[in-house]
Amino acid sequence: MKLFYTDIFVLPLPDGHRFPMEKYSRLRAALLDSGLFAETDFHLPAAASDEALARAHDLEYIQRVCRGQLSESEQKAIGFPWSAAMVERSRRSAGATLAACRAALDDGAAANLAGGTHHAFRNRGEGFCVFNDAAVAARAMQAEGRAGRVLIIDCDVHQGNGTASILAGDDSIFTFSMHGAHNFPFTKEISDLDIELPDACTDQAYLLRLADGLDLAFDLSRPDLVIYLAGADPYYDDRFGRLSLSFDGLAERDLRVFEHCRQHQVAVAVAMAGGYARRIEDTVQIHCTTIKQAFRLFP
């Protein structure tokens, strides 16, 4: 199982910034320490090209990002100050999901140890997202003739609003978002399937809704490839989550997604998406468990 990392490309963030940049390097270290993976399983991806990004984003937006021409308000919406390092990391993160999709279609499963930047729209970014890696990767796999139909399963606690917007009206890519009803983004887009959850939703209720959603999404999409955004932020002690899932509940969530992929004989590429637990160790543990669950079913 190939794992693609970008943690050597670090955003230069001010002290006290809310984004847990450190979780990515800690995740790679934890997976190495697990004994399940060797150094040779970890791969540094190429950066996504302008051509790849432009299948999901306006070229003018891509150029303004890369040239440092984003306005102050645009940078504030993204949540990161512009820097050349931000551009490189954003390109590499999208490139990692591209690479994970290619590897998954060869091997059954693969993962980007970052990514899940689902709040990026065609012509703007927001919510710590610059380029939408899932939309970019799905369109790339189609352009390369590797997958005709793609299912994006987004289990981050926040709706994949950018993904829904970019892919609206595209019957070949099915967007399924399962998220908190009262959480960011407060103005929702319309995915092909949205499941909204009440605050404090616990494991049992979440897993019941997930089972129904997975059955419906696979039936309607008939995918050649799944891109799974495995957010750690439905966790009960996440600062921005508002749901109440346990470690075990999140592990079962991941297992059910991967079991559906295996039952339908569909390759799955995983991206980590959000995670803002009060203890960064908890976020790392949740992400680590996601990768281990995939490895169990797609060794």
Side-chain angles (χ1 to χ4, degrees):
M1 182 176 170
K2 293 184 176 67
L3 307 174
F4 297 89
Y5 68 94
T6 56
D7 56 74
I8 65 170
F9 304 99
V10 178
L11 290 171
L13 299 176
D15 291 341
H17 196 280
R18 297 182 301 166
F19 190 76
M21 195 75 218
E22 187 184 349
K23 76 173 185 176
Y24 300 111
S25 58
R26 287 197 183 197
L27 173 59
R28 180 158 61 106
L31 290 168
L32 262 175
D33 290 344
S34 73
L36 295 176
F37 303 98
E39 289 274 6
T40 53
D41 295 321
F42 296 83
H43 304 270
L44 193 65
S49 66
D50 283 359
E51 180 183 12
L53 294 173
R55 295 192 185 102
H57 294 285
D58 290 342
L59 184 58
E60 184 264 347
Y61 171 66
I62 298 166
Q63 292 173 340
R64 288 196 303 109
V65 169
C66 295
R67 294 170 182 169
Q69 296 173 341
L70 296 177
S71 68
E72 185 175 341
S73 63
E74 287 175 310
Q75 293 177 60
K76 184 177 180 180
I78 290 171
F80 300 141
W82 185 90
S83 65
M86 182 200 82
V87 177
E88 182 68 11
R89 176 168 177 80
S90 299
R91 282 186 175 275
R92 294 280 181 166
S93 187
T97 300
L98 278 165
C101 286
R102 295 186 186 112
L105 287 162
D106 289 338
D107 303 330
N112 174 2
L113 301 183
T117 47
H118 59 167
H119 298 311
F121 285 72
R122 176 170 290 279
N123 62 352
R124 61 184 172 87
E126 68 178 37
F128 305 141
C129 302
V130 179
F131 299 128
N132 192 305
D133 61 318
V136 168
R139 289 264 170 86
M141 295 307 99
Q142 293 177 325
E144 294 172 14
R146 295 171 182 264
R149 301 183 62 82
V150 181
L151 167 58
I152 299 173
I153 300 172
D154 190 338
C155 288
D156 189 278
V157 81
H158 307 103
Q159 192 210 30
N161 56 337
T163 310
S165 176
I166 290 170
L167 299 174
D170 185 341
D171 293 337
S172 68
I173 305 175
F174 190 96
T175 55
F176 167 29
S177 181
M178 187 163 169
H179 52 265
H182 305 297
N183 210 326
F184 177 89
F186 300 109
T187 300
K188 306 290 194 288
E189 299 292 327
I190 300 174
S191 309
D192 293 306
L193 175 60
D194 285 300
I195 294 180
E196 296 196 328
L197 302 165
D199 286 2
C201 180
T202 56
D203 294 349
Q204 184 178 11
Y206 185 100
L207 294 170
L208 284 171
R209 300 294 303 277
L210 176 65
D212 291 340
L214 289 173
D215 286 342
L216 184 58
F218 274 88
D219 287 347
L220 293 175
S221 64
R222 295 171 285 108
D224 305 307
L225 170 69
V226 167
I227 300 175
Y228 173 39
L229 278 62
D233 42 12
Y235 176 54
Y236 75 88
D237 202 32
D238 192 275
R239 288 175 292 154
F240 307 137
R242 300 177 68 161
L243 302 188
S244 295
L245 271 67
S246 67
F247 287 120
D248 289 344
L250 287 161
E252 182 64 22
R253 173 202 68 174
D254 296 335
L255 187 60
R256 292 189 183 191
V257 171
F258 297 136
E259 284 178 339
H260 266 73
C261 293
R262 192 173 70 170
Q263 289 165 6
H264 288 267
Q265 298 182 313
V266 180
V268 56
V270 187
M272 296 296 95
Y276 312 93
R278 298 177 204 282
R279 297 177 65 254
I280 195 169
E281 296 85 357
D282 290 350
T283 298
V284 172
Q285 179 180 333
I286 293 164
H287 285 322
C288 194
T289 297
T290 297
I291 302 302
K292 290 177 180 178
Q293 296 287 59
F295 184 78
R296 285 179 57 192
L297 295 187
F298 298 92

